[in-house]
Amino acid sequence: MHRHISFSSHREYRFYQGPIATCVANGIQAVNFLGDRFLRKYHSSAGIDELYRRSVDNAFSPQEAFLVTGAPHASAYYPRDFAWFYPDVLDPETIMDSEDAVRRVRLLEKSVRLMLEAVRADVVTTTIVPAGGDRYIGVNYFALPSDTLLGILAGLEQIIRADRRVSSFLAMAQGAHAGRLLLAEYREDLKKAILQLAGALQPFEDNGLTALLCDADAPRSAATDTRAERRRFVTNACVYATFVRGIRLGVIDQIELEALLGRALSQYKKELLGLFGKHGHIRHALDSSSEPGASSVALDFVNVQEGFWDLGEASERALFAATTDLILGEPRFRIHDTSHFLVSVDNPQTKMIHKIAAPAYQGRSCWPTFNVEFADRMLDYDEHSGTDTYRSCARDILQDIRTATETHGGYQELLSEKGLKYRTWAYQSAVAHSWFPRFLSVWRRAFGTPLLNRN
């Protein structure tokens, strides 16, 4: 099926879904991924300042129609990334100059508008694949999404809040104004989509513990989308974070949402923590056969910035610390002699395509960006507990990411368990240009000084 969408009176966009459209999207993606694997040109190692300037020029090029990660993902748009990987593209500390600020604001506004048009067309999918001209295909890799709306709300909120940061860039105020107009225009479409997400939750019971889950019967996709388990912590944490952002933006009324859930939002979260934290730490998936302990934990438990965790709550701090300590204390969780932490100690249950093409993609591999979020949550913990429990570890994580970035000639999507670029016969991880600003923001928080010399 397809729907006719207009961004303005001058352009009409079409969104397609369905089996035929999915086949076309799969073909486009296959050509792009395999082409990148065998045709990519390599960049040599360089200093962090030079690499960052190169990434900024690539990520926020005026020729881009949408904010993307980088090859091989650059032919498709991933709404979830705006929560997971792009939350600080408008942080003035990461912006090079006024021209860079203008390019970022314009690209973010275009990106969010396209995603909002997709929501209006009822195309809330994990991925939007351009199909030539103004045609786009909505496709789900590899299950229905849990965090697409979260990403859209995060991108919209980042624009709206652009003028709240101390900055001399005029583009920030202009961006905030554009964001408020977008919110007013698409508020009802977002509300409808959030209510649909809430209505899809199902009760799940485990030895007397009950909670509403988005994936009680079938897997849902999140940033770790190749993991095929059901009843995952991260997918349900993303749903909760979606509700919180929707309320904060005034998209949905909390009382109306709680009536649909049949419980207070605080109770909904308490039940999730009780279910996934019943062993004293956050278990990654209730559908997993792993015994409690390090083998049952995954690094994506850290969730997104301003997402699930409220480390001002003592009970949540205790669960976070217990899970963190399991990861820090398990040698199999890290690349040897580094503070690069793997997604999990074992490779997960995955779809057959990943077993063949990239078996460790979201298992025994290291994603620098998940490590950045891990470090940021550690800093949250120390801030709220009034201690320096994890600051040195957070700094070690960031230092090792800097070293890997300079060594490999760019900010990496992921590294192998040996600390090399993750590469298989079919797949090569991206140089994730647009993820770089988030690293700079967390570095400044951890060390108190900017990473780059922009003079």
Side-chain angles (χ1 to χ4, degrees), residues 251-319:
V251 171
I252 189 167
D253 179 73
Q254 183 169 342
I255 295 175
E256 182 179 5
L257 176 62
E258 291 177 337
L260 181 58
L261 296 176
R263 62 215 355 103
L265 195 61
S266 59
Q267 180 63 24
Y268 166 59
K269 183 179 187 182
K270 182 179 179 181
E271 291 171 355
L272 289 176
L273 288 170
L275 188 62
F276 288 96
K278 67 178 181 179
H279 296 294
H281 62 269
I282 295 297
R283 187 168 183 168
H284 166 66
L286 306 180
D287 194 32
S288 171
S289 60
S290 299
E291 294 296 321
S295 62
S296 70
V297 173
L299 193 63
D300 60 9
F301 91 97
V302 297
N303 204 249
V304 300
Q305 180 195 29
E306 298 184 18
F308 183 85
W309 290 101
D310 177 6
L311 296 180
E313 290 288 333
S315 60
E316 292 193 38
R317 281 203 307 276
L319 271 176

Side-chain angles (χ1 to χ4, degrees), residues 7 65-67 82 90 102-116 155-156 159 174-179 181-182 185-186:
F7 279 123
F66 196 96
L67 185 56
F82 290 79
L90 297 188
V102 169
R103 291 190 301 167
R104 295 193 194 198
V105 169
R106 287 178 177 172
L107 187 57
L108 188 58
E109 190 273 337
K110 286 195 297 183
S111 301
V112 172
R113 180 177 288 277
L114 178 57
M115 293 188 296
L116 289 170
L156 178 58
I159 301 176
Q174 296 171 336
H177 177 68
L181 293 178
L182 286 173
E185 184 176 355
Y186 295 97

Side-chain angles (χ1 to χ4, degrees), residues 8 115 121 136 254 260 325 335 387 391 397:
S8 69
M115 293 188 296
Y136 295 88
Q254 183 169 342
L260 181 58
D325 291 345
I335 297 173
T387 68
R391 180 172 297 275
I397 288 171

